[in-house]
Amino acid sequence: MGGILPPAERHSSALLGVFAAISLLLLVMGDRLPTSGLRGLGAWIFTPLDRVVLFVDRMAAAWRENRVLHARLAELELENQHLRSAGVENQQLREHLDLPPWPNLNLRPVEVLALTGEPIPTAAILSAGSRQNVHVGDAAVTDAGLLGRIGEAYPNQSRVVLLTDPNSAVACEVESTGVLGVLRFAFSPRPRLLLSGVPNSDTVRVGQRVLTSGLSRRYPRGIPVGVVRSLGRDPSGLMQEVEVAPAAEISRLRHGFVIPQTEPVRGMP
Amino acid sequence: MKAVAAVVVFVIVTLLLRSTALTALAARGVVIDVLAFATVVWAMRHGESGGTTFGFVLGIAADLDAAHWMGRHALLLALLGYTVGRLSHTLVRDSARTQCVLLFLATVVHQTWAAAFEFGGVQAWPHLLQRVILAGVATAPLGTLLLGILRRVSGQSLFSHAALPTRTAT
């Protein structure tokens, strides 16, 4: 074949052969390569460019959000007064029942610089890294609910593995009933979040809120994850298939918060 | 050196668009396949060697960004670059119809390949089909429109070796 083709085409065919061989090799063993450092370098290069591209969008959004947030702030001030007294009451009751106190979540504000994955984002780059005390395993949230956990921490940026990553799993409970399950992302037959491992005997209703259960110890308990959207049976017929609509708007992320892990949890696999 | 710098700049701009401006659209189900678009345009302009190299470099960068299945974008985009580069010798590259068809086919092939790694089982086919067709329908006209605008702005053919024959007055 090399003799039939003209020299220029032989060169391009050889180039394609080399690139195809490298790609196939990467497909077979690419997951074993330490690529985290390269992604860190990429995040470092892209951070200022992301900020420039997002500047106009963020300014317009900030203008709109400012008006909404003023109204919301007034509402929340009133609600906060009520919750403070309820919190004191809750703390006293937990003390009487010898239950451990609820942990105080220390929120670290961060900017979401970029999203990865089509059509559903599976990861996000945040504007804070290990120098800002953001570590692998920390939970990432928005004001609406859970986003995921820090998968890689670079010096000044970090990468969040979102709930929509196929390798992500979150131990959850259904609010008020305490039904437990594990939240995973499924691509088939269409992309959606599923609460798996819920027995048929457990009662779950559409519209109920799903929160982190704290059982996996990766996430603090009580962070909103989503709302039950629909119910069905899993293919085995033994468990329920609970579809959950995410609380956080994953397609439109601008800002978020990182919740540092508590000391005993850090270092867990 | 100039060519390497051009490849790097074009790759960065493509990835930047993909991870910022186009993510909101993609999450709503309308994927503008900027990777396929960039590879097709580069291959039409620089031929099969340039197209193959550009597709591979862009694909590797996208694979690193995605963190799963390294090599999947690199393999297909290199193949796309090569194929479009080869075809561009015989096609009228400045024809909007040619560009639209090439962009549609490239997007459909790329999206099908990329989605094949994510979706499993026959039950996912309807969603896969919907995603692939939507991406093709969105990317091809938008890409053709963008190329038309660029041609108007620059005032010259983007693909100089195969300009449309100009009409002469009779």
Side-chain angles (χ1 to χ4, degrees):
Chain A
M1 184 173 162
I4 299 167
L5 291 170
E9 290 177 7
R10 273 210 302 273
H11 172 250
S12 60
S13 301
L15 206 60
L16 178 67
V18 170
F19 289 156
I22 295 172
S23 304
L24 287 171
L25 205 65
L26 284 174
L27 266 174
V28 174
M29 52 180 293
D31 286 341
R32 282 176 235 159
L33 297 176
T35 52
S36 162
L38 282 172
R39 267 195 297 283
L41 180 69
W44 179 75
I45 293 169
F46 276 84
T47 297
L49 302 171
D50 286 329
R51 285 212 167 101
V52 170
V53 172
L54 294 171
F55 179 76
V56 177
D57 174 59
R58 300 260 156 117
M59 284 298 282
W63 186 265
R64 283 193 306 272
E65 280 170 8
N66 188 39
R67 282 184 301 171
V68 177
L69 287 176
H70 270 299
R72 186 89 184 110
L73 187 66
E75 284 172 26
L76 289 175
E77 284 288 352
L78 293 172
E79 195 181 328
N80 198 24
Q81 294 299 327
H82 172 70
L83 289 175
R84 267 180 206 279
S85 56
V88 171
E89 196 176 87
N90 178 278
Q91 199 177 348
Q92 286 168 348
L93 285 170
R94 290 183 80 87
E95 278 170 15
H96 286 310
L97 294 168
D98 281 337
L99 292 173
W102 280 91
N104 283 326
L105 299 181
N106 178 21
L107 300 178
R108 185 183 303 283
V110 286
E111 192 181 355
V112 180
L113 296 172
L115 295 170
T116 295
E118 279 178 352
I120 311 285
T122 55
I125 302 293
L126 302 184
S127 63
S130 51
R131 283 189 192 147
Q132 290 78 33
N133 274 331
V134 171
H135 300 284
V136 172
D138 291 352
V141 298
T142 66
D143 56 345
L146 186 70
L147 280 181
R149 56 191 285 272
I150 305 291
E152 290 172 2
Y154 317 121
N156 291 304
Q157 290 86 29
S158 52
R159 182 186 173 93
V160 183
V161 178
L162 298 176
L163 296 176
T164 45
D165 186 290
N167 296 331
S168 163
V170 184
C172 291
E173 65 180 334
V174 178
E175 193 180 39
S176 71
T177 58
V179 170
L180 297 172
V182 177
L183 192 84
R184 292 177 196 280
F185 189 72
F187 276 111
S188 298
R190 61 192 162 79
R192 59 199 173 137
L193 283 171
L194 289 178
L195 191 66
S196 58
V198 179
N200 284 330
S201 53
D202 284 351
T203 306
V204 181
R205 292 194 180 86
V206 172
Q208 281 183 311
R209 292 208 315 161
V210 178
L211 313 172
T212 51
S213 66
L215 288 181
S216 72
R217 302 185 69 198
R218 284 183 187 278
Y219 300 97
R221 192 180 172 195
I223 301 174
V225 174
V227 176
V228 176
R229 181 185 275 160
S230 67
L231 300 165
R233 289 270 173 93
D234 79 343
S236 71
L238 300 172
M239 298 283 178
Q240 294 188 58
E241 200 174 67
V242 182
E243 187 180 342
V244 176
E249 180 90 29
I250 287 172
S251 64
R252 198 86 183 138
L253 295 173
R254 288 196 192 93
H255 297 96
F257 303 92
V258 173
I259 305 173
Q261 287 187 340
T262 48
E263 281 310 316
V265 181
R266 182 160 288 150
M268 275 182 71
Chain B
M1 195 64 199
K2 211 173 164 184
V4 174
V7 169
V8 170
V9 168
F10 208 46
V11 165
I12 287 178
V13 169
T14 306
L15 291 175
L16 199 60
L17 274 175
R18 186 173 180 249
S19 65
T20 53
L22 299 176
T23 46
L25 263 180
R28 282 163 181 78
V30 186
V31 177
I32 308 289
D33 195 340
V34 73
L35 299 182
F37 171 76
T39 307
V40 167
V41 171
W42 196 271
M44 281 204 292
R45 199 172 157 83
H46 297 279
E48 63 262 39
S49 290
T52 312
T53 309
F54 180 82
F56 179 74
V57 173
L58 183 63
I60 283 286
D63 286 329
L64 271 173
D65 189 36
H68 298 303
W69 302 295
M70 281 283 289
R72 65 172 170 156
H73 288 298
L75 178 61
L76 195 93
L77 292 178
L79 276 168
L80 268 182
Y82 178 80
T83 312
V84 174
R86 286 296 294 269
L87 284 174
S88 67
H89 295 304
T90 50
L91 295 172
V92 183
R93 290 173 289 176
D94 265 332
S95 153
R97 209 174 300 163
T98 306
Q99 292 165 1
C100 196
V101 170
L102 278 180
L103 284 173
F104 180 80
L105 291 176
T107 305
V108 165
V109 171
H110 179 230
Q111 286 295 316
T112 308
W113 171 255
F117 286 84
E118 294 158 6
F119 294 94
V122 181
Q123 54 190 2
W125 284 13
H127 185 269
L128 174 72
L129 201 66
Q130 182 194 346
R131 169 180 156 179
V132 166
I133 291 173
L134 254 176
V137 167
T139 308
L142 261 176
T144 311
L145 185 71
L146 184 65
L147 290 176
I149 292 170
L150 285 174
R151 190 184 172 188
R152 276 287 171 89
V153 169
S154 66
Q156 58 186 16
S157 164
L158 294 173
F159 314 107
S160 54
H161 302 297
L164 273 173
T166 50
R167 286 184 188 172
T168 48
T170 51

